Amino acid sequence: MFSLHLMRKFTADFVFPVSSPPIKNGVVVTDDEGKILEVASPPNPLSFGEGEMQYYPGIIVPGFVNAHCHLELSHLKGVIPEKKGLDEFIMGIESLRAASDEEIISAVEKADAEMYRNGIVAVSDISNTNHSFQTKAKSKIHYHTFIELLGFHPSRAEHAFEKGIQLEKELNRKNVSLTMHAPYSASISLLKKIKKYAEENHSVLTMHNQENADENLLFINKTGKILKRLEALGIDASFFEPTGKTSLLSVLPHLPAMNKIQLVHNVYTILAEIDVAINYNPNLYWCFCPNANLYIENRLPDIQMFYDKKLNITLGTDSLASNWQLSIPEEIKTIRENFPFIPFEEILKWSTLNGAQLLGISEKYGSIEKGKQPGLVHIMGIDEKNFRITGQITAVRLI
Ligand SMILES: [Zn+2]
């Protein structure tokens, strides 16, 4: 039940429900907990006539779903130099992970608060450790934790998997999946374990995919910087047989064929691979973190190509180790600047409803619809003729 006096009414120049077309001067009525009671378009009278209306210049959208983040890397903000390439980046992370627990946890708390302020209501978050677990448990944001398993050498598979099971227990096996980090960091033995477990538990998976060109080189002909890095780390790669195929096509047959799987980055993915991949698994999601790609490699994926294929696309911020901020509007802005033919409304869907569907939480999140509790965000800095972003974009959470 709701009490009428705590009911709230919001209006803006445009309301974007996402699940239906934008409404000029639309009105959203919520109860005191933010549950949507009504979405109205003028001149239709409101069923809930009482109460004062709050007007916001600009647009109102549902809360964002950040489809890819690593909260536990938040203490690395500004530490790793920009535009040096993924290899330098990973080496940088490895040498810098060694911070105190207090430093890491305090940065995690700050990042969670930053996302909340920026209108993010749900996050797909990667964990290698339990540093972020307490923050996530008490946060007002909904988190799904992807425990990331790494093990290039087949002899590591058992240990990596068991470590993941332990971390999963710490989360009471709720809103959590065990998943692979990337094709180049998982042996076939490890992928088999992950596949079996995911199929048994009907879990959603995610994997970093083709973030840089060396990932393909490793699989095609066993060359490139990843191989050098493995050697530098003292990891034996002598067992590894190149497949002659790209990294994505090499691991595809070892992934579940029906579970939802989100592939993250896709900077070097080409059209022919997409066709093979969606034929193998029709439930793939393609996640972009454009600002992280600019930060690390200064190169963007061909997002237009993915849009033209009408794929399930999601948006993420990646971590503060490879981004300047954790803000979905900043990611939207980068896409609009670089791919001006992709409509704003479409990118908004990637940032909200698609991420909610990936995580199986679209009953509550992702669109402004009666009965949902998606959060509301007020955005300014978008011109109202063609929804171009004119300069500075600001997003403030309303509820
Ligand atoms: Zn990532």
PDB file of all heavy atoms in Angstrom, residues 73 76-86 88-96 295-296 319-323:
ATOM      1  N   LEU A  73      38.985  -2.655  -8.294  1.00  0.00           N
ATOM      2  CA  LEU A  73      40.162  -1.975  -8.862  1.00  0.00           C
ATOM      3  C   LEU A  73      40.077  -0.452  -8.703  1.00  0.00           C
ATOM      4  O   LEU A  73      40.889   0.285  -9.252  1.00  0.00           O
ATOM      5  CB  LEU A  73      40.315  -2.324 -10.354  1.00  0.00           C
ATOM      6  CG  LEU A  73      40.526  -3.805 -10.692  1.00  0.00           C
ATOM      7  CD1 LEU A  73      40.657  -3.987 -12.205  1.00  0.00           C
ATOM      8  CD2 LEU A  73      41.774  -4.357  -9.999  1.00  0.00           C
ATOM      9  N   LEU A  76      42.918   2.080  -8.110  1.00  0.00           N
ATOM     10  CA  LEU A  76      43.928   2.324  -9.158  1.00  0.00           C
ATOM     11  C   LEU A  76      43.564   3.520 -10.044  1.00  0.00           C
ATOM     12  O   LEU A  76      44.146   3.711 -11.102  1.00  0.00           O
ATOM     13  CB  LEU A  76      44.104   1.069 -10.022  1.00  0.00           C
ATOM     14  CG  LEU A  76      44.561  -0.176  -9.251  1.00  0.00           C
ATOM     15  CD1 LEU A  76      44.640  -1.380 -10.175  1.00  0.00           C
ATOM     16  CD2 LEU A  76      45.923   0.070  -8.596  1.00  0.00           C
ATOM     17  N   LYS A  77      42.600   4.323  -9.583  1.00  0.00           N
ATOM     18  CA  LYS A  77      42.190   5.483 -10.374  1.00  0.00           C
ATOM     19  C   LYS A  77      43.373   6.419 -10.629  1.00  0.00           C
ATOM     20  O   LYS A  77      44.062   6.844  -9.704  1.00  0.00           O
ATOM     21  CB  LYS A  77      41.087   6.253  -9.637  1.00  0.00           C
ATOM     22  CG  LYS A  77      40.573   7.426 -10.442  1.00  0.00           C
ATOM     23  CD  LYS A  77      39.410   8.126  -9.777  1.00  0.00           C
ATOM     24  CE  LYS A  77      38.928   9.252 -10.679  1.00  0.00           C
ATOM     25  NZ  LYS A  77      37.815   9.983 -10.114  1.00  0.00           N
ATOM     26  N   GLY A  78      43.593   6.723 -11.916  1.00  0.00           N
ATOM     27  CA  GLY A  78      44.627   7.680 -12.293  1.00  0.00           C
ATOM     28  C   GLY A  78      46.049   7.165 -12.151  1.00  0.00           C
ATOM     29  O   GLY A  78      47.010   7.904 -12.374  1.00  0.00           O
ATOM     30  N   VAL A  79      46.224   5.914 -11.787  1.00  0.00           N
ATOM     31  CA  VAL A  79      47.564   5.388 -11.512  1.00  0.00           C
ATOM     32  C   VAL A  79      48.229   4.864 -12.785  1.00  0.00           C
ATOM     33  O   VAL A  79      49.428   5.037 -13.003  1.00  0.00           O
ATOM     34  CB  VAL A  79      47.480   4.258 -10.455  1.00  0.00           C
ATOM     35  CG1 VAL A  79      48.823   3.594 -10.263  1.00  0.00           C
ATOM     36  CG2 VAL A  79      46.966   4.812  -9.134  1.00  0.00           C
ATOM     37  N   ILE A  80      47.429   4.238 -13.635  1.00  0.00           N
ATOM     38  CA  ILE A  80      48.001   3.618 -14.833  1.00  0.00           C
ATOM     39  C   ILE A  80      47.982   4.612 -15.991  1.00  0.00           C
ATOM     40  O   ILE A  80      46.950   5.229 -16.259  1.00  0.00           O
ATOM     41  CB  ILE A  80      47.214   2.329 -15.177  1.00  0.00           C
ATOM     42  CG1 ILE A  80      47.405   1.331 -14.021  1.00  0.00           C
ATOM     43  CG2 ILE A  80      47.699   1.727 -16.483  1.00  0.00           C
ATOM     44  CD1 ILE A  80      46.512   0.152 -14.072  1.00  0.00           C
ATOM     45  N   PRO A  81      49.131   4.820 -16.642  1.00  0.00           N
ATOM     46  CA  PRO A  81      49.171   5.822 -17.713  1.00  0.00           C
ATOM     47  C   PRO A  81      48.217   5.480 -18.854  1.00  0.00           C
ATOM     48  O   PRO A  81      47.983   4.315 -19.153  1.00  0.00           O
ATOM     49  CB  PRO A  81      50.620   5.798 -18.193  1.00  0.00           C
ATOM     50  CG  PRO A  81      51.296   4.709 -17.474  1.00  0.00           C
ATOM     51  CD  PRO A  81      50.406   4.154 -16.428  1.00  0.00           C
ATOM     52  N   GLU A  82      47.693   6.520 -19.488  1.00  0.00           N
ATOM     53  CA  GLU A  82      46.707   6.329 -20.561  1.00  0.00           C
ATOM     54  C   GLU A  82      47.357   5.954 -21.883  1.00  0.00           C
ATOM     55  O   GLU A  82      48.504   6.294 -22.131  1.00  0.00           O
ATOM     56  CB  GLU A  82      45.934   7.646 -20.782  1.00  0.00           C
ATOM     57  CG  GLU A  82      45.116   8.062 -19.584  1.00  0.00           C
ATOM     58  CD  GLU A  82      44.539   9.471 -19.755  1.00  0.00           C
ATOM     59  OE1 GLU A  82      44.353   9.913 -20.898  1.00  0.00           O
ATOM     60  OE2 GLU A  82      44.303  10.109 -18.712  1.00  0.00           O
ATOM     61  N   LYS A  83      46.586   5.266 -22.713  1.00  0.00           N
ATOM     62  CA  LYS A  83      46.894   5.037 -24.127  1.00  0.00           C
ATOM     63  C   LYS A  83      48.222   4.313 -24.375  1.00  0.00           C
ATOM     64  O   LYS A  83      48.916   4.569 -25.326  1.00  0.00           O
ATOM     65  CB  LYS A  83      46.865   6.360 -24.898  1.00  0.00           C
ATOM     66  CG  LYS A  83      45.517   7.066 -24.780  1.00  0.00           C
ATOM     67  CD  LYS A  83      45.495   8.383 -25.527  1.00  0.00           C
ATOM     68  CE  LYS A  83      44.151   9.063 -25.538  1.00  0.00           C
ATOM     69  NZ  LYS A  83      43.469   9.364 -24.316  1.00  0.00           N
ATOM     70  N   LYS A  84      48.563   3.399 -23.463  1.00  0.00           N
ATOM     71  CA  LYS A  84      49.806   2.644 -23.621  1.00  0.00           C
ATOM     72  C   LYS A  84      49.534   1.227 -24.136  1.00  0.00           C
ATOM     73  O   LYS A  84      50.436   0.434 -24.301  1.00  0.00           O
ATOM     74  CB  LYS A  84      50.533   2.561 -22.267  1.00  0.00           C
ATOM     75  CG  LYS A  84      51.178   3.868 -21.848  1.00  0.00           C
ATOM     76  CD  LYS A  84      52.541   4.002 -22.507  1.00  0.00           C
ATOM     77  CE  LYS A  84      53.117   5.382 -22.433  1.00  0.00           C
ATOM     78  NZ  LYS A  84      53.644   5.794 -21.194  1.00  0.00           N
ATOM     79  N   GLY A  85      48.283   0.867 -24.282  1.00  0.00           N
ATOM     80  CA  GLY A  85      47.954  -0.476 -24.751  1.00  0.00           C
ATOM     81  C   GLY A  85      47.609  -1.413 -23.601  1.00  0.00           C
ATOM     82  O   GLY A  85      47.999  -1.187 -22.462  1.00  0.00           O
ATOM     83  N   LEU A  86      46.904  -2.490 -23.941  1.00  0.00           N
ATOM     84  CA  LEU A  86      46.397  -3.402 -22.918  1.00  0.00           C
ATOM     85  C   LEU A  86      47.510  -4.136 -22.181  1.00  0.00           C
ATOM     86  O   LEU A  86      47.419  -4.383 -20.987  1.00  0.00           O
ATOM     87  CB  LEU A  86      45.445  -4.423 -23.561  1.00  0.00           C
ATOM     88  CG  LEU A  86      44.769  -5.373 -22.581  1.00  0.00           C
ATOM     89  CD1 LEU A  86      43.788  -4.628 -21.680  1.00  0.00           C
ATOM     90  CD2 LEU A  86      44.039  -6.490 -23.304  1.00  0.00           C
ATOM     91  N   GLU A  88      50.612  -3.190 -21.396  1.00  0.00           N
ATOM     92  CA  GLU A  88      51.169  -2.320 -20.351  1.00  0.00           C
ATOM     93  C   GLU A  88      50.162  -2.192 -19.207  1.00  0.00           C
ATOM     94  O   GLU A  88      50.519  -2.175 -18.039  1.00  0.00           O
ATOM     95  CB  GLU A  88      51.413  -0.916 -20.917  1.00  0.00           C
ATOM     96  CG  GLU A  88      52.496  -0.857 -21.970  1.00  0.00           C
ATOM     97  CD  GLU A  88      53.835  -0.541 -21.357  1.00  0.00           C
ATOM     98  OE1 GLU A  88      53.852   0.037 -20.266  1.00  0.00           O
ATOM     99  OE2 GLU A  88      54.857  -0.899 -21.977  1.00  0.00           O
ATOM    100  N   PHE A  89      48.884  -2.114 -19.567  1.00  0.00           N
ATOM    101  CA  PHE A  89      47.835  -1.924 -18.581  1.00  0.00           C
ATOM    102  C   PHE A  89      47.793  -3.108 -17.615  1.00  0.00           C
ATOM    103  O   PHE A  89      47.773  -2.942 -16.402  1.00  0.00           O
ATOM    104  CB  PHE A  89      46.488  -1.756 -19.289  1.00  0.00           C
ATOM    105  CG  PHE A  89      45.328  -1.665 -18.350  1.00  0.00           C
ATOM    106  CD1 PHE A  89      45.078  -0.488 -17.663  1.00  0.00           C
ATOM    107  CD2 PHE A  89      44.496  -2.756 -18.138  1.00  0.00           C
ATOM    108  CE1 PHE A  89      44.009  -0.398 -16.782  1.00  0.00           C
ATOM    109  CE2 PHE A  89      43.434  -2.671 -17.257  1.00  0.00           C
ATOM    110  CZ  PHE A  89      43.193  -1.490 -16.580  1.00  0.00           C
ATOM    111  N   ILE A  90      47.805  -4.326 -18.171  1.00  0.00           N
ATOM    112  CA  ILE A  90      47.711  -5.521 -17.322  1.00  0.00           C
ATOM    113  C   ILE A  90      48.952  -5.646 -16.442  1.00  0.00           C
ATOM    114  O   ILE A  90      48.864  -5.934 -15.249  1.00  0.00           O
ATOM    115  CB  ILE A  90      47.491  -6.782 -18.187  1.00  0.00           C
ATOM    116  CG1 ILE A  90      46.080  -6.742 -18.769  1.00  0.00           C
ATOM    117  CG2 ILE A  90      47.682  -8.058 -17.364  1.00  0.00           C
ATOM    118  CD1 ILE A  90      45.727  -7.870 -19.701  1.00  0.00           C
ATOM    119  N   MET A  91      50.107  -5.367 -17.033  1.00  0.00           N
ATOM    120  CA  MET A  91      51.337  -5.423 -16.237  1.00  0.00           C
ATOM    121  C   MET A  91      51.247  -4.402 -15.099  1.00  0.00           C
ATOM    122  O   MET A  91      51.652  -4.679 -13.984  1.00  0.00           O
ATOM    123  CB  MET A  91      52.559  -5.123 -17.120  1.00  0.00           C
ATOM    124  CG  MET A  91      52.886  -6.255 -18.086  1.00  0.00           C
ATOM    125  SD  MET A  91      53.142  -7.859 -17.269  1.00  0.00           S
ATOM    126  CE  MET A  91      54.704  -8.334 -17.919  1.00  0.00           C
ATOM    127  N   GLY A  92      50.702  -3.226 -15.426  1.00  0.00           N
ATOM    128  CA  GLY A  92      50.532  -2.174 -14.414  1.00  0.00           C
ATOM    129  C   GLY A  92      49.636  -2.636 -13.283  1.00  0.00           C
ATOM    130  O   GLY A  92      49.966  -2.491 -12.109  1.00  0.00           O
ATOM    131  N   ILE A  93      48.525  -3.252 -13.619  1.00  0.00           N
ATOM    132  CA  ILE A  93      47.578  -3.736 -12.597  1.00  0.00           C
ATOM    133  C   ILE A  93      48.258  -4.766 -11.706  1.00  0.00           C
ATOM    134  O   ILE A  93      48.159  -4.710 -10.490  1.00  0.00           O
ATOM    135  CB  ILE A  93      46.349  -4.383 -13.262  1.00  0.00           C
ATOM    136  CG1 ILE A  93      45.530  -3.315 -13.955  1.00  0.00           C
ATOM    137  CG2 ILE A  93      45.526  -5.165 -12.245  1.00  0.00           C
ATOM    138  CD1 ILE A  93      44.062  -3.390 -13.743  1.00  0.00           C
ATOM    139  N   GLU A  94      48.965  -5.690 -12.332  1.00  0.00           N
ATOM    140  CA  GLU A  94      49.592  -6.754 -11.548  1.00  0.00           C
ATOM    141  C   GLU A  94      50.570  -6.169 -10.535  1.00  0.00           C
ATOM    142  O   GLU A  94      50.650  -6.622  -9.411  1.00  0.00           O
ATOM    143  CB  GLU A  94      50.303  -7.754 -12.473  1.00  0.00           C
ATOM    144  CG  GLU A  94      49.344  -8.609 -13.293  1.00  0.00           C
ATOM    145  CD  GLU A  94      48.261  -9.297 -12.465  1.00  0.00           C
ATOM    146  OE1 GLU A  94      48.552  -9.744 -11.347  1.00  0.00           O
ATOM    147  OE2 GLU A  94      47.101  -9.360 -12.926  1.00  0.00           O
ATOM    148  N   SER A  95      51.324  -5.149 -10.956  1.00  0.00           N
ATOM    149  CA  SER A  95      52.322  -4.617 -10.029  1.00  0.00           C
ATOM    150  C   SER A  95      51.682  -3.708  -8.984  1.00  0.00           C
ATOM    151  O   SER A  95      52.273  -3.437  -7.953  1.00  0.00           O
ATOM    152  CB  SER A  95      53.414  -3.880 -10.794  1.00  0.00           C
ATOM    153  OG  SER A  95      52.844  -2.826 -11.518  1.00  0.00           O
ATOM    154  N   LEU A  96      50.472  -3.221  -9.254  1.00  0.00           N
ATOM    155  CA  LEU A  96      49.866  -2.247  -8.340  1.00  0.00           C
ATOM    156  C   LEU A  96      48.776  -2.818  -7.440  1.00  0.00           C
ATOM    157  O   LEU A  96      48.302  -2.145  -6.551  1.00  0.00           O
ATOM    158  CB  LEU A  96      49.263  -1.098  -9.155  1.00  0.00           C
ATOM    159  CG  LEU A  96      50.280  -0.184  -9.817  1.00  0.00           C
ATOM    160  CD1 LEU A  96      49.626   0.613 -10.921  1.00  0.00           C
ATOM    161  CD2 LEU A  96      50.926   0.736  -8.805  1.00  0.00           C
ATOM    162  N   TYR A 295      40.852   5.012 -23.107  1.00  0.00           N
ATOM    163  CA  TYR A 295      41.878   5.150 -22.055  1.00  0.00           C
ATOM    164  C   TYR A 295      43.056   4.205 -22.328  1.00  0.00           C
ATOM    165  O   TYR A 295      44.208   4.591 -22.232  1.00  0.00           O
ATOM    166  CB  TYR A 295      41.253   4.834 -20.700  1.00  0.00           C
ATOM    167  CG  TYR A 295      42.131   5.156 -19.496  1.00  0.00           C
ATOM    168  CD1 TYR A 295      41.868   6.252 -18.690  1.00  0.00           C
ATOM    169  CD2 TYR A 295      43.216   4.338 -19.158  1.00  0.00           C
ATOM    170  CE1 TYR A 295      42.654   6.554 -17.587  1.00  0.00           C
ATOM    171  CE2 TYR A 295      44.012   4.627 -18.054  1.00  0.00           C
ATOM    172  CZ  TYR A 295      43.727   5.736 -17.269  1.00  0.00           C
ATOM    173  OH  TYR A 295      44.513   6.018 -16.181  1.00  0.00           O
ATOM    174  N   ILE A 296      42.747   2.969 -22.676  1.00  0.00           N
ATOM    175  CA  ILE A 296      43.815   1.978 -22.779  1.00  0.00           C
ATOM    176  C   ILE A 296      44.449   1.957 -24.164  1.00  0.00           C
ATOM    177  O   ILE A 296      45.669   2.055 -24.309  1.00  0.00           O
ATOM    178  CB  ILE A 296      43.289   0.568 -22.417  1.00  0.00           C
ATOM    179  CG1 ILE A 296      42.820   0.564 -20.963  1.00  0.00           C
ATOM    180  CG2 ILE A 296      44.384  -0.478 -22.596  1.00  0.00           C
ATOM    181  CD1 ILE A 296      42.163  -0.717 -20.549  1.00  0.00           C
ATOM    182  N   SER A 319      36.547  -0.386 -15.032  1.00  0.00           N
ATOM    183  CA  SER A 319      36.902   0.069 -13.682  1.00  0.00           C
ATOM    184  C   SER A 319      37.553   1.447 -13.703  1.00  0.00           C
ATOM    185  O   SER A 319      37.933   1.950 -14.756  1.00  0.00           O
ATOM    186  CB  SER A 319      37.885  -0.914 -13.061  1.00  0.00           C
ATOM    187  OG  SER A 319      39.162  -0.726 -13.644  1.00  0.00           O
ATOM    188  N   LEU A 320      37.735   2.012 -12.528  1.00  0.00           N
ATOM    189  CA  LEU A 320      38.426   3.302 -12.431  1.00  0.00           C
ATOM    190  C   LEU A 320      39.912   3.175 -12.766  1.00  0.00           C
ATOM    191  O   LEU A 320      40.594   4.186 -12.930  1.00  0.00           O
ATOM    192  CB  LEU A 320      38.245   3.896 -11.027  1.00  0.00           C
ATOM    193  CG  LEU A 320      36.885   4.559 -10.772  1.00  0.00           C
ATOM    194  CD1 LEU A 320      36.763   4.970  -9.312  1.00  0.00           C
ATOM    195  CD2 LEU A 320      36.671   5.769 -11.687  1.00  0.00           C
ATOM    196  N   ALA A 321      40.425   1.959 -12.870  1.00  0.00           N
ATOM    197  CA  ALA A 321      41.813   1.786 -13.322  1.00  0.00           C
ATOM    198  C   ALA A 321      41.942   2.186 -14.790  1.00  0.00           C
ATOM    199  O   ALA A 321      43.020   2.571 -15.243  1.00  0.00           O
ATOM    200  CB  ALA A 321      42.250   0.337 -13.133  1.00  0.00           C
ATOM    201  N   SER A 322      40.841   2.099 -15.544  1.00  0.00           N
ATOM    202  CA  SER A 322      40.912   2.396 -16.972  1.00  0.00           C
ATOM    203  C   SER A 322      39.823   3.363 -17.422  1.00  0.00           C
ATOM    204  O   SER A 322      39.426   3.376 -18.575  1.00  0.00           O
ATOM    205  CB  SER A 322      40.787   1.101 -17.778  1.00  0.00           C
ATOM    206  OG  SER A 322      39.535   0.488 -17.524  1.00  0.00           O
ATOM    207  N   ASN A 323      39.357   4.185 -16.505  1.00  0.00           N
ATOM    208  CA  ASN A 323      38.356   5.183 -16.901  1.00  0.00           C
ATOM    209  C   ASN A 323      38.537   6.400 -16.008  1.00  0.00           C
ATOM    210  O   ASN A 323      39.091   6.299 -14.913  1.00  0.00           O
ATOM    211  CB  ASN A 323      36.935   4.602 -16.771  1.00  0.00           C
ATOM    212  CG  ASN A 323      35.945   5.272 -17.709  1.00  0.00           C
ATOM    213  OD1 ASN A 323      36.145   6.432 -18.138  1.00  0.00           O
ATOM    214  ND2 ASN A 323      34.871   4.577 -18.032  1.00  0.00           N
TER     215      ASN A 323
END
